[in-house]
Amino acid sequence: MEIAITPVRALRGDLQVPGDKSISHRAVMLGALAEGETEIENFLPGEDCLSTIQVVKSLGVEVHIEKDRVVVRGGGLNALQEPENVLDAGNSGTTMRLMAGILSGCPFFSVLTGDASLRRRPMQRVIKPLSAMGARITSRGGNAYAPMAITGGALCSTTYRSPVASAQVKSAVLLAGLFADGTTTVIEPARSRDHTERMLSYFGARIQVKDKQVSVWGRPKLQGCKVVVPGDISSAVFLLVACAVVPGADLTVRNVGINPTRSGALEVLKEMGANIIIFNERQVSGEPVADIRIRGSRLKGTTINRAIIPYLIDELPALAVAAALAEGETVVRDAAELRYKETDRITTVVKLLSQMGADIIEQEDGFIIRGGRALQGTECESFGDHRLAMAAAVAGLHARGITKIKSAECVNISFPAFFNTLNLLSVQ
Ligand code: S3P
């Protein structure tokens, strides 16, 4: 599907974005491991989370889905059954890595695979610690890439010092730790998003968090419960950036997750001069949630590096667009992890914005953007990466002429109604 974006004069609206992708995945997985019924409200019915539902169904778990309401009937930690066929995680790294942790604890054989993009992403980062806990895992490329064959069961608890700040690695080890006697601890170089810890504790597991160290006590009795998923800040940020750069724009996004390990982009946008107000702060199912109002202004460049990077890693394509439209220089450093996402997002962001006329230079671990050059509409590739397609669309709203985005259907991964939502907001 090719989408054409025409420039907007202004953006105005008051809306909600779909449920958080990371939290939707975890709610289904923990629901599958818990005893009794888990009811998930505002579930994200995007392709990635549907892959997770398909995988847990193949393991014998009953799941009912009706739009954004999902009911999972789990039978406890020992109730999963050997799947009859290969498990397909599609485009979803979260499905593959977190399920690898769960399957490592299950005493049967399973194979996890995914689409071409996911089969290029590094899996050694989970295979190594899960094998050290006792899982038998073999995979393509000398235990580097999916497909991954797992024979699980009889795990030992561990203390794992992860070389990367990755929530997927941390979560894989913690989920495997549920099946082991004793306490499993993960220590990270910088804190990654903490939804797994929060939700494990919400379902009744014993969790301890000390700075960059998280421990889970093995063999808990997880209890099915109701989870209300907040709106996804990673989706909201595309709309916030679209408005941030247009004086006169005015947008309120309600019911957005503002977990501090996810909301780094709000800090950066504020630092760039965006006019953002966060209000109605509340707690929902163990996660902080708020409404966010943004009014357009002129932005200035900034530096984005170090410990904040994991708190905004998925927002860097959107922030790069903001930087291209801001005055002055923006430097993104310490973000080499971007190279291991759905695409190598350092290369693809640089390609996209250069093609649109921005002054952007690729670095090993980020990019440098000298903002303020007028962007030019062009025909661009999404490379099948949902966040790149959305970044192209936001840039296109503020470019001269028409921007055409190829393979734009990939937005269905995380924000199926994205283009309709942009239409609703746009004042031509
Ligand atoms: C995710 C963690 C992040 C993020 C991804 C979703 C998760 O990856 O980029 O989109 O749900 O745990 P890391 O594992 O690199 O932190």
Side-chain angles (χ1 to χ4, degrees):
M1 177 177 88
E2 186 178 275
I3 285 275
I5 303 286
T6 44
V8 278
R9 263 194 308 113
L11 290 132
R12 240 163 264 143
D14 187 329
L15 48 76
Q16 296 203 24
V17 287
D20 187 277
K21 182 154 81 68
S22 291
I23 297 174
S24 296
H25 281 298
R26 286 158 171 81
V28 172
M29 291 180 196
L30 292 195
L33 298 178
E35 281 173 32
E37 191 171 286
T38 290
E39 185 191 346
I40 310 166
E41 222 180 72
N42 200 33
F43 174 82
L44 168 66
E47 284 171 5
D48 271 13
C49 299
L50 296 177
S51 294
T52 289
I53 289 191
Q54 213 39 56
V55 168
V56 305
K57 276 177 138 181
S58 305
L59 298 170
V61 179
E62 208 186 307
V63 184
H64 296 280
I65 171 159
E66 202 187 303
K67 291 188 187 149
D68 62 359
R69 182 177 172 271
V70 171
V71 175
V72 184
R73 288 204 181 88
L77 283 179
N78 299 319
L80 299 186
Q81 293 159 18
E82 185 170 84
E84 284 175 9
N85 205 345
V86 168
L87 303 168
D88 188 358
N91 192 244
S92 171
T94 306
T95 308
M96 181 165 286
R97 297 200 179 103
L98 271 59
M99 285 310 305
I102 291 173
L103 292 166
S104 291
C106 298
F108 53 68
F109 174 79
S110 57
V111 179
L112 273 167
T113 192
D115 70 6
S117 149
L118 188 51
R119 282 183 275 116
R120 281 194 295 268
R121 296 175 65 184
M123 291 301 144
Q124 203 190 19
R125 50 179 61 194
V126 289
I127 295 175
K128 214 174 136 210
L130 296 173
S131 303
M133 292 174 82
R136 280 179 292 143
I137 307 181
T138 44
S139 83
R140 200 169 55 84
N143 276 356
Y145 304 107
M148 226 191 299
I150 304 176
T151 306
L155 297 187
C156 303
S157 54
T158 188
T159 294
Y160 183 60
R161 207 172 267 280
S162 175
V164 277
S166 157
Q168 293 175 355
V169 173
K170 171 176 66 180
S171 303
V173 175
L174 293 176
L175 291 170
L178 295 176
F179 295 85
D181 286 324
T183 312
T184 291
T185 299
V186 181
I187 305 164
E188 296 192 280
R191 269 185 89 188
S192 62
R193 64 188 65 189
D194 66 358
H195 304 302
T196 301
E197 302 82 298
R198 285 175 186 261
M199 201 179 287
L200 276 170
S201 151
Y202 188 72
F203 272 77
R206 186 167 165 210
I207 292 281
Q208 193 179 64
V209 181
K210 273 195 238 147
D211 192 25
K212 297 169 205 155
Q213 179 172 325
V214 186
S215 304
V216 66
W217 272 253
R219 303 199 189 281
K221 187 169 162 354
L222 302 176
Q223 194 57 55
C225 54
K226 178 160 179 173
V227 179
V228 180
V229 180
D232 197 327
I233 190 164
S234 297
S235 298
V237 160
F238 287 101
L239 308 180
L240 297 177
V241 167
C243 292
V245 292
V246 192
D250 190 348
L251 169 69
T252 301
V253 191
R254 311 233 173 230
N255 190 34
V256 184
I258 54 155
N259 180 319
T261 62
R262 286 289 299 286
S263 54
L266 299 181
E267 300 310 311
V268 167
L269 284 171
K270 279 184 194 163
E271 207 172 288
M272 293 176 83
N275 187 346
I276 296 183
I277 306 166
I278 298 169
F279 60 108
N280 275 344
E281 287 190 42
R282 53 209 187 262
Q283 284 288 119
V284 178
S285 304
E287 290 278 349
V289 173
D291 300 339
I292 302 174
R293 181 173 183 194
I294 188 158
R295 272 167 289 181
S297 52
R298 297 209 184 282
L299 300 187
K300 58 181 196 304
T302 186
T303 296
I304 312 173
N305 61 355
R306 301 195 188 173
I308 200 169
I309 293 289
Y311 298 173
L312 49 67
I313 190 81
D314 291 343
E315 286 61 77
L316 284 168
L319 291 173
V321 175
L325 295 163
E327 286 300 322
E329 189 175 87
T330 294
V331 179
V332 175
R333 248 188 267 125
D334 307 322
E337 274 294 306
L338 274 182
R339 296 201 182 271
Y340 309 110
K341 299 298 175 190
E342 286 81 334
T343 57
D344 171 344
R345 285 187 179 149
I346 295 183
T347 305
T348 50
V349 164
V350 169
K351 268 195 187 148
L352 170 72
L353 288 176
S354 318
Q355 209 191 338
M356 296 186 77
D359 180 352
I360 176 167
I361 303 164
E362 177 165 353
Q363 306 283 288
E364 209 37 61
D365 62 347
F367 32 77
I368 300 171
I369 301 173
R370 289 191 202 96
R373 273 207 205 164
L375 297 183
Q376 188 61 52
T378 172
E379 201 163 287
C380 48
E381 261 302 331
S382 69
F383 303 101
D385 183 336
H386 54 132
R387 301 206 200 282
L388 206 76
M390 293 189 275
V394 172
L397 292 177
H398 305 301
R400 290 197 194 124
I402 293 177
T403 300
K404 288 187 180 158
I405 308 164
K406 291 195 202 146
S407 317
E409 69 282 353
C410 58
V411 301
N412 290 334
I413 295 285
S414 63
F415 196 165
F418 175 71
F419 293 111
N420 287 343
T421 308
L422 279 192
N423 276 340
L424 287 177
L425 291 181
S426 302
V427 179
Q428 298 292 338

